[in-house]
Amino acid sequence: MKAPQADALIEDCGDHLRVTLSNPGRRNALAPAMYARLREALAQAAAQNRLGAVVLTGADGYFCAGGDLNALATRAAMPRHERRARIEDLHDTIRAIRACPRPVIAAVEGGAAGAGLSMALACDLLVAAEDASFAAAYVRVGLVPDGGLTTSLARRVPAGFAARMCLTGDPVPAATLAAMGVVTDLVAPGQALAHAAALAARMAQGPAAAHGAIKQLLAAAREGDFDSQLDREAEAMADALAAPEAAAGLTARLNRTAPDFGRGSSGADKKEPRP
C-alpha cells in the first residue's frame, strides 16, 4: 500500500479556511507540496470577502516538527543554488502568510519546532494548548534558523532569551511564551483549534479592508522609524474614513446596533482558486 504523502489539507469552513499540515508519522515535517498548498489557501482567502481568516494547524495532535530530516540530509550533495532555492520556497511561504490581507491564526497542539516554529510566529495570532512546547531546534542538528525565526524572536523576546532558544534548541513551554505575549491565546489541551475557529468567526464579522490595512501598518511599524509610521497611519486613516466599512461601523455605533461590514459572499468576490 502506498505510504501517505505530505500535504496541507484545505477545508472551507464557511467564514474561514482551515489548513492542516499533514505528514503522517513525521510530526507533520514540512515538504514542498505543503508550501504550495498553504500559499494556495492564502490566495483563496484573499480573493473571497466572506473568508475572515486562515487557521493553520497540524494533524494528529502536533503542529509541525520543522524540516524533514531525511530530506535535509540529502541537501549537502546539491549545488548551492539548489539548496538556496529550497530555502526560498519556505521563505516565500512565510512572506505569503505575512502579506495575506486576512488574519492568519496558528492553532498549536503538541508543539512547533524548527521551521514549524518559524511558521507559527509568522502568523498574526498564535493560539496554543497549555501543554504545547516550542523549540528553535535547528542547532541540535548543526543547522541555523531560517523562515525569519531570528527576526521574529528578536522582536518579541529579550535578547538573552532569544539567544538561549537558538543556541540550545531547548523546548520552551507555551505558558512561558504566553507570559511574554508571543503566544496570544493560551487554552486547555485539545482546545486550540476550536478557540482559533472562534477567533476566525469573529474576524469574519469585522471589516475586511481595515484588517488588511492594520496588518500592513503593524508590519511597517516593526520595520520602520516612528515618524514614517505616523505618515503611514495618516494615509491609511484618511483612506479608511471615506470607506464603506467606516460608514457602516460608525453608523452602527451611533445607533447602538451591530455593524454589518458586508462580509457575505457576493458577485464582487474574485475568482476562487480550485479547492
Side-chain angles (χ1 to χ4, degrees), residues 122-184:
C123 296
D124 301 292
L125 300 174
L126 204 173
V127 179
E130 293 168 340
D131 59 354
S133 64
F134 299 83
Y138 300 87
V139 71
R140 295 195 168 191
V141 292
L143 296 175
V144 300
D146 58 5
L149 182 59
T150 52
T151 299
S152 294
L153 288 175
R155 290 174 177 169
R156 299 186 189 193
V157 304
F161 192 89
R164 195 179 196 288
M165 282 191 72
C166 292
L167 292 173
T168 67
D170 291 345
V172 176
T176 299
L177 292 184
M180 297 180 178
V182 178
V183 168
T184 59

Side-chain angles (χ1 to χ4, degrees), residues 14 24 89 96-97 108 114-115 122 148 152 156 158 161 167 181 184 186 191 197 224 256:
D89 199 13
I97 292 172
V108 178
S152 294
R156 299 186 189 193
F161 192 89
L167 292 173
T184 59
L186 191 65
Q191 295 302 307
R256 298 188 178 183

Side-chain angles (χ1 to χ4, degrees), residues 40-76:
E40 179 183 334
L42 295 167
Q44 182 179 341
Q48 291 196 279
N49 198 48
R50 66 179 174 85
L51 297 172
V54 175
V55 173
L56 179 61
T57 191
D60 303 323
Y62 198 88
F63 184 75
C64 178
D68 187 322
L69 296 184
N70 290 324
L72 292 174
T74 68
R75 302 268 174 96

Side-chain angles (χ1 to χ4, degrees), residues 230-256:
L230 289 176
D231 291 338
R232 293 187 191 97
E233 290 180 349
E235 292 294 326
M237 179 58 87
D239 290 339
L241 285 168
E245 290 178 350
L250 292 169
T251 299
R253 178 55 62 92
L254 291 171
N255 293 334
R256 298 188 178 183

